[in-house]
Amino acid sequence: MKLFTMSSTIALAFAGVLAAGAASAQSRDQIRIVGSSTVYPFTTAAAEQFGKAGQFKTPVVESTGTGGGFKLFCAGVGAGHPDAVNASRAIKKSEFDDCNKNGVSEIIELKVGFDGIVLANSKKGPDFKLTRQQLFLALAKEVPGADGKLVANPYKSWNDIDPSLPAEKIEVLGPPPTSGTRDAFLELVMEKGAEKVESFAALKKSDKKAFDTAWKTVREDGAYIDAGENDNLIVQKLEANPKAVGIFGYSFLEENASQIKGANIEGKAPTFEAIADGSYKVSRPLFVYFKKQHVGVIPGLKEFLAEYASDKAMGEEGYLSEKGLVPLPEAQAHEAEDAAKKLVTISAPAS
């Protein structure tokens, strides 16, 4: 009898915990989104449009950086955790595994469009025409010395790398390690640039691990300045310092075109058309990830996902293209919209 009483007490206590959890999950009536500063303007625009319809409250969108956003998103399920995360790169396997470990077992991936990573400076500053190899030599912590062995980066001015470049001090304001823009910049610029350096190409063949460490390691002597997650702040600093160069998403260049200009990279200017057709090589897809487990619990989440994935938002004539988002090709856009409507979840990425 005592055993029955104890079991009943445990069962009732467990039921109480479940009920409290359900009540907690239902205690929030506003969608919460964290993550990438690059995707932030697009998600904010979608949130404002969604709120204007009047059926649900306008979602709260916070700019925390992609890496920081995934940490918050993957921490658990329930009202205390975000419903979605903006990401300027695809989710990593380690992040996916972290989500699963914490009970976030059903994740919906929405690819929203493309963005170019630009190097920009004040319109009062010099014009830059760069290659990815030159950018690697400007920003890598170690570069080949005269004998081909790695040495601490000796380049102080752009024209130290190539006489055709401006005779200006190398001063680059860029995103921090938690930023998806930094991850993408490293892969699209630094890795590709390193492959064009003869000794690094040889290193890739002989010691892939050492090669990967080299292109991922940015100099720390003041030439590269961690400017934080606020891209608008970088733009303001460029206006104040015409000799500096900033790294951020194309939409921030477009929004501030009267004050700043983009550098040509390998013969292509960062334009909407060049990013769309792939001729501007430093471009990447953008994503928003949603918790399927919050659909039907947090009011409006399913409807907001449908709004974001719609042609009126993500399409060629959609309101997000006016914000600088480069739309997906039509077939991919339809596929993304269909997957969003069906709440299709993803499996673990390969890496």
Side-chain angles (χ1 to χ4, degrees):
M1 186 67 181
K2 286 183 179 179
L3 181 61
F4 173 79
T5 303
M6 186 176 294
S7 299
S8 299
T9 302
I10 292 171
L12 286 169
F14 184 66
V17 169
L18 290 177
S24 174
Q26 292 171 355
S27 65
R28 179 156 54 81
D29 63 354
Q30 199 169 17
I31 297 165
R32 183 183 169 217
I33 304 163
V34 295
S36 166
S37 61
T38 300
V39 187
Y40 174 85
F42 309 129
T43 301
T44 298
E48 288 170 353
Q49 288 288 328
F50 184 69
K52 284 178 184 177
Q55 186 179 356
F56 301 100
K57 288 186 176 181
T58 302
V60 174
V61 188
E62 300 172 60
S63 178
T64 64
T66 297
F70 274 122
K71 284 184 180 179
L72 293 167
F73 178 81
C74 291
V77 174
H81 304 284
D83 310 302
V85 57
N86 297 320
S88 53
R89 58 163 171 75
I91 189 171
K92 297 177 180 178
K93 186 178 185 300
S94 59
E95 291 163 339
F96 184 91
D97 291 344
D98 192 41
C99 271
N100 268 269
K101 182 182 73 177
N102 294 320
V104 184
S105 57
E106 296 179 288
I107 302 170
I108 300 164
E109 178 185 83
L110 175 64
K111 184 189 285 189
V112 299
F114 295 97
D115 181 48
I117 299 175
V118 303
L119 275 85
N121 64 325
S122 167
K123 285 201 165 181
K124 298 173 186 175
D127 293 335
F128 280 92
K129 294 182 179 179
L130 297 157
T131 66
R132 287 181 283 183
Q133 180 181 348
Q134 290 168 341
L135 282 167
F136 170 76
L137 293 173
L139 298 178
K141 186 174 182 178
E142 294 185 323
V143 297
D147 58 0
K149 294 182 180 179
L150 294 183
V151 297
N153 195 323
Y155 302 121
K156 303 299 181 186
S157 300
W158 290 100
N159 65 340
D160 290 341
I161 297 167
D162 190 306
S164 68
L165 296 177
E168 299 286 358
K169 177 184 175 183
I170 298 171
E171 187 175 354
V172 178
L173 307 173
T178 53
S179 170
T181 298
R182 173 137 161 182
D183 291 338
F185 180 81
L186 290 174
E187 291 178 11
L188 295 170
V189 173
M190 298 296 281
E191 181 179 13
K192 298 301 180 185
E195 289 171 351
K196 297 293 185 182
V197 178
E198 188 176 343
S199 57
F200 273 91
L203 181 64
K204 183 178 181 179
K205 292 179 181 178
S206 64
D207 190 342
K208 180 67 164 54
K209 188 175 180 180
F211 172 77
D212 287 343
T213 298
W215 64 260
K216 289 178 180 178
T217 308
V218 177
R219 60 195 298 182
E220 301 168 336
D221 57 358
Y224 183 92
I225 301 160
D226 180 339
E229 296 285 3
N230 188 338
D231 292 340
N232 282 313
L233 187 59
I234 297 179
V235 172
Q236 291 171 22
K237 289 181 177 179
L238 296 181
E239 290 182 61
N241 181 4
K243 295 182 179 181
V245 176
I247 299 171
F248 39 77
Y250 166 74
S251 65
F252 289 91
L253 172 63
E254 186 178 63
E255 287 174 10
N256 298 279
S258 60
Q259 290 88 33
I260 58 175
K261 57 187 175 181
N264 279 29
I265 297 181
E266 293 177 359
K268 282 291 179 180
T271 64
F272 187 96
E273 293 75 19
I275 296 167
D277 66 21
S279 58
Y280 182 75
K281 299 301 182 183
V282 194
S283 59
R284 43 50 192 292
L286 303 177
F287 303 87
V288 184
Y289 292 88
F290 293 81
K291 279 179 189 156
K292 187 175 180 179
Q293 288 146 294
H294 283 197
V295 172
V297 178
I298 303 299
L301 188 59
K302 181 179 180 180
E303 292 79 2
F304 177 67
L305 175 53
E307 165 71 29
Y308 210 140
S310 68
D311 187 62
K312 70 174 182 175
M314 286 176 24
E316 285 190 18
E317 304 298 325
Y319 59 78
L320 295 181
S321 68
E322 296 173 8
K323 293 285 185 181
L325 181 71
V326 178
L328 298 170
E330 189 175 356
Q332 285 189 38
H334 287 318
E335 185 179 329
E337 186 173 10
D338 186 57
K341 287 178 180 176
K342 294 177 180 176
L343 303 177
V344 175
T345 57
I346 59 171
S347 52
S351 59

